[in-house]
Amino acid sequence: MRFADIPGNENVKQAMINMARSGRVHHALLLYENEGCGALALGLAFLQYLNCQDRSEEDSCGQCHNCRQISRLTYPDMRFTFPITSGTKVSGAAKDLTCDDYAPLFRELVQKNPYFLENELSAALGIDKKSGLISVAEGRAIMQKLSLAPVTDGWRGIFVWLPEKMNQQTANMLLKSLEEPSEKTIFILITHNPESVLSTITSRCQGMRVMPLSKEDAAAVRKLSDIGDAPLYNDLFKSLIDSVIARDLQAALEVGEALASMDSREKQKAFCIFAGEGVRNLMLFGRGLESLADCGDDADWYRSAAAKLPAGFAESASAILGRTETMLERNVLAKILFCNLATRLYVIAGQR
Ligand SMILES: [Zn+2]
């Protein structure tokens, strides 16, 4: 992965290039993004730039041995940590599994699409009915990797995707390494919820904000990515809002049922995020800020729906969706959550 292959985020790329060229590489970077905006791709391009045997002022060469190995994710001095549990593709006691058990599946996904979303990773790993974690066993595996001498004489990259899924015990194991890593070792942490990352971790990292992609760049990236569920989420979201506007509780509950019966928790969370964007659009339309909304061909629908909803609906709905997403993380029964979501939206839509 070269910087040139990644759309947008020129400031982040330049900061990384400057760091590499000045030799003042911070040993732990915390990249935070809205999911799917390319933080992992940027991290990979950075490790490649650090290790390229023929880099220019702006980018790695993409051709040398190190570039090719890093592009293929076969470079021996890199390791990937991400949330896992046992599933349909890798079985065994969840507490004993490490990301090494999942490495081939992870590599395959990143090669296909480095902009993958959380639910796409869970699907690729075969754990999409469950919530993954970064366990103590995984913490031990990272420490083990760090205790071994590097294979190359280049930079070693330890990637942690979603450090917010790490418990205190695992984090404690890593703190010392994060603070004083071995020479030429860089941690690259990628979070979608910086406020949920333990402060003992964030305080040891240099934060870098990865910005959302422009519409054009997002469209280019999404072609790589299979987010075939977006039209379904859009239909469900609009049906839900239409039902509560029509004061049809039964219809709203039926949408809730459909959401509860989706085949994975990750898809349900993805719906909550999608619907969060939807209510943001409703708020923008409600305040006459249509030009800031991102709603594709649905402007007419949003305009009409926003006009029929009471003031403050979008703000309350946004909070309810956020809570639903959090409760999904905690494995609360989906049927209860989505029935509750439909009912609450029905109630707030009726408050004049
Ligand atoms: Zn190179």
Side-chain angles (χ1 to χ4, degrees):
M1 178 76 63
R2 299 175 72 233
F3 287 121
D5 300 327
I6 304 169
N9 277 297
E10 299 308 324
N11 292 345
V12 175
K13 292 178 196 170
Q14 200 54 55
M16 288 174 162
I17 290 165
N18 293 346
M19 226 188 257
R21 291 175 56 80
S22 68
R24 288 193 301 273
V25 177
H26 198 283
H27 53 265
L29 297 182
L30 179 69
L31 305 180
Y32 55 107
E33 64 165 356
N34 302 342
E35 64 172 340
C37 292
L40 178 62
L42 286 161
L44 286 166
F46 183 40
L47 185 69
Q48 184 164 316
Y49 190 68
L50 283 170
N51 285 310
C52 176
Q53 293 153 324
D54 190 19
R55 74 183 183 203
S56 73
E57 289 193 8
E58 296 106 45
D59 217 335
S60 53
C61 75
Q63 305 292 324
C64 71
H65 184 65
N66 287 349
C67 277
R68 279 183 288 130
Q69 279 199 325
I70 293 171
S71 289
R72 288 199 298 257
L73 273 58
T74 56
Y75 181 69
D77 290 320
M78 72 201 298
R79 189 176 194 289
F80 297 94
T81 286
F82 40 89
I84 54 167
T85 183
S86 58
T88 53
K89 296 183 183 174
V90 176
S91 53
K95 69 174 176 44
D96 298 328
L97 293 172
T98 72
C99 292
D100 294 320
D101 298 307
Y102 280 102
L105 294 168
F106 184 82
R107 262 204 299 274
E108 196 184 321
L109 175 65
V110 178
Q111 297 266 276
K112 209 167 72 183
N113 169 26
Y115 297 85
F116 61 85
L117 306 178
E118 291 181 35
N119 64 334
E120 293 170 323
L121 176 64
S122 303
L125 302 181
I127 58 169
D128 42 350
K129 293 214 176 4
K130 306 175 180 176
S131 282
L133 277 178
I134 297 176
S135 68
V136 172
E138 176 60 19
R140 263 188 227 112
I142 298 174
M143 298 310 289
Q144 163 80 3
K145 175 85 178 173
L146 291 171
S147 71
L148 300 171
V151 178
T152 68
D153 59 2
W155 280 86
R156 172 153 61 183
I158 307 291
F159 289 81
V160 180
W161 200 73
L162 305 190
E164 56 268 40
K165 306 277 177 152
M166 193 185 285
N167 62 21
Q168 186 80 53
Q169 205 183 347
T170 311
N172 286 346
M173 296 171 82
L174 298 181
L175 289 183
K176 190 153 169 49
S177 304
L178 272 174
E179 198 152 71
E180 301 164 16
S182 20
E183 207 192 341
K184 288 176 98 175
T185 294
I186 180 167
F187 278 87
I188 298 177
L189 286 68
I190 293 155
T191 176
H192 299 153
N193 279 306
E195 61 286 353
S196 310
V197 181
L198 293 167
S199 59
T200 44
I201 299 272
T202 46
S203 64
R204 287 165 170 83
C205 297
Q206 176 173 338
M208 275 187 169
R209 173 75 171 127
V210 173
M211 298 308 287
L213 298 173
S214 70
K215 250 186 205 173
E216 294 72 27
D217 289 339
V221 163
R222 290 290 172 254
K223 280 192 199 93
L224 293 170
S225 163
D226 176 27
I227 57 155
D229 293 325
L232 170 67
Y233 298 156
N234 196 29
D235 281 350
L236 289 166
F237 172 70
K238 290 199 293 185
S239 305
L240 185 56
I241 298 297
D242 285 338
S243 322
V244 300
I245 289 174
R247 309 308 298 141
D248 186 342
L249 180 58
Q250 188 55 38
L253 287 170
E254 278 165 22
V255 178
E257 288 273 340
L259 290 166
S261 63
M262 275 203 240
D263 62 4
S264 82
R265 211 153 261 264
E266 294 306 322
K267 284 187 186 170
Q268 290 161 341
K269 281 197 262 176
F271 169 80
C272 291
I273 293 167
F274 185 96
E277 287 294 313
V279 294
R280 180 175 170 274
N281 285 337
L282 284 171
M283 183 197 71
L284 291 169
F285 274 83
R287 294 186 184 172
L289 300 168
E290 300 194 8
S291 59
L292 300 177
D294 180 8
C295 58
D297 298 330
D298 286 327
D300 288 341
W301 181 85
Y302 276 103
R303 193 172 303 115
S304 149
K308 293 172 194 152
L309 288 163
F313 173 84
E315 290 78 357
S316 307
S318 172
I320 295 167
L321 283 161
R323 268 201 299 281
T324 306
E325 197 194 337
T326 308
M327 298 307 268
L328 280 165
E329 293 261 353
R330 295 184 190 158
N331 289 328
V332 177
L333 202 62
K335 207 171 154 116
I336 295 174
L337 285 177
F338 285 108
C339 170
N340 190 39
L341 172 72
T343 312
R344 306 265 321 259
L345 292 180
Y346 175 83
V347 170
I348 59 171
Q351 284 170 347
R352 297 265 164 195

